[in-house]
Amino acid sequence: MTFQDHMRRMGARALEAFPEALRPQIYVVSFRIWRNDSFDDRHPYLAIGYNTEDELRRVPAEQRDPDPDEARWNYAWWPLDEIAGVIGHDPADPTGAALHTAEVKELGLWYEDDGGDEGEAEDDDDDEVSVRNELLELHFDEACIDLARHLHSSGRITEILGRPVPIVLFDMYRAGYEETLTEAANPPEVVADYLAWCREEEAGEAGEAEAGEAA
């Protein structure tokens, strides 16, 4: 079994674990990318969760203004109840951890620590470690994007939730990158509302920056 096979199998299981009573209320599936050791890209994992319309309505109205879509699309407002599934370097998925490690070693991306604490290397190796970390990060991003695309193209999301639902990918250490990841992971028509909100946010931030410079 390849790591891709494992990701696809575990991703489908995660969707199947979504409570049936909540499925009509689920409007977004969350893919949170993280690491077993927060800064160590050799040990990533994917935590799968969701948010519901009922949960969205629990956000106080005054906290949703002036942008009512902020709570809908900004993962900072989501409960991130990810008991449905974790894939990769997490105690809940030893098979995924082993498959991922074997794959990145075969690709030549893995590196061993040269003394010191886990994740640290000698100064002379810093540049090489930095490059490998970037490639490890890209490799896992692509695996998560592939899983999201597969869940759409295989029809599993529609089968389980009754309709297409966007999958939003994000990494809290790479704020702002979620738009790029999410656009790559979903059919355009499914993710259009999310991307429209992202671009409105960007335009608003640009306007504030220009106003600040003019002041």
Side-chain angles (χ1 to χ4, degrees):
M1 181 190 300
T2 67
F3 184 57
Q4 180 188 65
D5 293 335
H6 179 75
M7 288 275 286
R8 291 180 173 187
R9 182 167 60 93
M10 295 294 286
R13 286 185 180 179
L15 294 187
E16 291 164 0
F18 288 177
E20 290 191 21
L22 295 180
R23 291 178 186 180
Q25 292 289 327
I26 293 173
Y27 70 88
V28 65
V29 174
S30 62
F31 273 23
R32 180 174 66 88
I33 299 171
W34 201 240
R35 299 144 204 86
N36 190 265
D37 291 326
S38 297
F39 295 101
D40 194 335
D41 289 302
R42 291 171 295 179
H43 303 138
Y45 66 82
L46 172 66
I48 299 176
Y50 56 84
N51 200 19
T52 66
E53 296 288 355
D54 283 346
E55 188 66 35
L56 180 62
R57 284 190 281 270
R58 292 190 181 98
V59 178
E62 63 272 15
Q63 295 183 26
R64 295 199 299 267
D65 294 331
D67 180 4
D69 285 334
E70 176 76 13
R72 171 173 288 275
W73 296 122
N74 189 334
Y75 62 79
W77 294 100
W78 302 347
L80 298 181
D81 183 1
E82 297 157 337
I83 59 173
V86 178
I87 310 171
H89 289 266
D90 183 86
D93 187 23
T95 299
L99 288 169
H100 175 265
T101 299
E103 181 165 296
V104 296
K105 284 184 175 180
E106 184 177 349
L107 291 170
L109 304 181
W110 187 265
Y111 61 89
E112 299 291 346
D113 296 322
D114 187 8
D117 296 331
E118 181 74 13
E120 297 182 357
E122 296 294 332
D123 290 344
D124 291 344
D125 297 329
D126 280 352
D127 289 343
E128 180 181 352
V129 167
S130 179
V131 169
R132 292 199 184 199
N133 278 331
E134 290 178 5
L135 293 172
L136 285 164
E137 195 174 76
L138 178 61
H139 174 269
F140 195 70
D141 285 350
E142 290 176 345
C144 295
I145 290 169
D146 173 80
L147 172 57
R149 289 174 173 172
H150 175 72
L151 293 174
H152 282 298
S153 64
S154 66
R156 295 297 283 151
I157 283 190
T158 301
E159 177 186 345
I160 292 170
L161 298 181
R163 66 218 177 279
V165 169
I167 300 174
V168 172
L169 286 71
F170 61 94
D171 180 339
M172 294 177 183
Y173 277 167
R174 291 181 289 162
Y177 195 45
E178 53 268 18
E179 179 182 350
T180 299
L181 293 171
T182 300
E183 184 172 18
N186 293 269
E189 66 277 9
V190 175
V191 78
D193 290 346
Y194 173 78
L195 293 178
W197 172 76
C198 287
R199 285 154 191 168
E200 287 175 5
E201 289 288 292
E202 291 168 2
E205 290 171 3
E208 290 175 4
E210 290 176 1
E213 292 174 359

